[in-house]
Amino acid sequence: MKVPLLDLKLQYFTHKKELDEALLRVAESQYFILGKEVEKLESSLKEYLGCKYAIGVSSGTDALLLALMALNIQPGDEVIVPTFSFFATAGVVSRLNAVPVFADIDPVTFNLDPKDIEKHITPKTKAIIPVHLYGQSAAMDEIITIAKKHQLKIVEDGAQAIGAQYKNGKKVGTIGDIGCYSFFPSKNLGCFGDGGLVVTDDDKLGERLRIMRVHGGKPKYYHKVIGGNFRLDEIQAAVLNVKLPFLDGWSEKRRQNAKLYTQFFMNVGLAEEEGKLFFDEKNKVLLPKAVYKNSVVKNYHIYNQYIIRVEKRDALRKYLGEKEIGTEIYYPVPFHRQECFANLHCHEADFPVSNSAVSDTIALPIFPELTEAQLKYVVDSITEFLKS
Ligand SMILES: *Cc1c(COP(=O)(O)O)cnc(C)c1O
């Protein structure tokens, strides 16, 4: 049985008619940049996310870059980011000649460990970028408390988490000063190329983000500030306008798939409960868990990725590949080990949790269209491997 990590064709062929019509509509209008489709998308997303400003941009990376520019992050300023995330989270900081300062993560949620943030704060620290990795909210209450105490801005990297909710039901990305999302095709809401979004509730920031999206000119050709070309195009917005109404249904399907994985893993004795660490036992897996520390209230996890932790990760990955099961490693190298950050002189010992996560995490197929039989086949194959 073949189980790809992701198969976008299934979603496309289910909604082919509306999507093709939307593409044609843009072609016939010959209006490509910041038009009616983008306006419609921005107004729908504002409502969907529950925020005051939603501004379509060219990618998730550009959303983060624009957010830092709007917050006036300057060369030499320090921005705290988790060392375990997609490269863009740290890359955008360096692109402004500011300094990304890495912090370690929580072993169950893989998100910034609030306990590890404060020791990295210096007089130069200006902002924190919590990442809602894999589709689950970071510990925002704790992060906000730290940010308030030290007067830091919060830019949420919600690239993998559009529609995910923090324990209190608030959508991630709308909790900090600016929220950023990506519409890269593999995200829960993906377009037909690159696209992204920035959101805020702050009037001044909303205005700045909008102006800086088009080179900072207001009126056009008169520049008080320097922005860039961070525009979202009409074709991408038209695709997203068709897809947005289905987003919650797709994320709900991913959640059901995650639940099935849990059942199957527990049935074969590879796990006792979600989020239970396995370090004392070999040949067990750690299942992802939607948690909120010290509370019965759970985050609403949208499972952009379904990540398990397992000791023999690399051998397992090879075995699953032979069984035609697609997997991926998100991410094999933490920021503190990246060659491009060697000048930051990080200490390996400061990041014990991330150091183990890079060697024992593996992403399993979780996309909405998977069948129960496929999920069962994945767990059966892992069982064969771990029990052989
Ligand atoms: C995908 C992603 C980004 C970047 O988004 P692009 O649209 O690919 O530029 C940033 N941060 C995280 C955590 C991501 O997963």
Side-chain angles (χ1 to χ4, degrees), residues 6-18:
L6 175 63
D7 183 354
L8 288 169
K9 283 189 180 163
L10 293 165
Q11 186 190 81
Y12 170 62
F13 285 107
T14 306
H15 301 283
K16 183 175 178 346
K17 191 163 164 285
E18 309 98 285

Side-chain angles (χ1 to χ4, degrees), residues 58-77:
S58 32
S59 70
T61 305
D62 282 349
L64 290 164
L65 182 62
L66 177 59
L68 296 180
M69 287 170 73
L71 289 171
N72 207 20
I73 297 298
Q74 294 293 310
D77 286 351

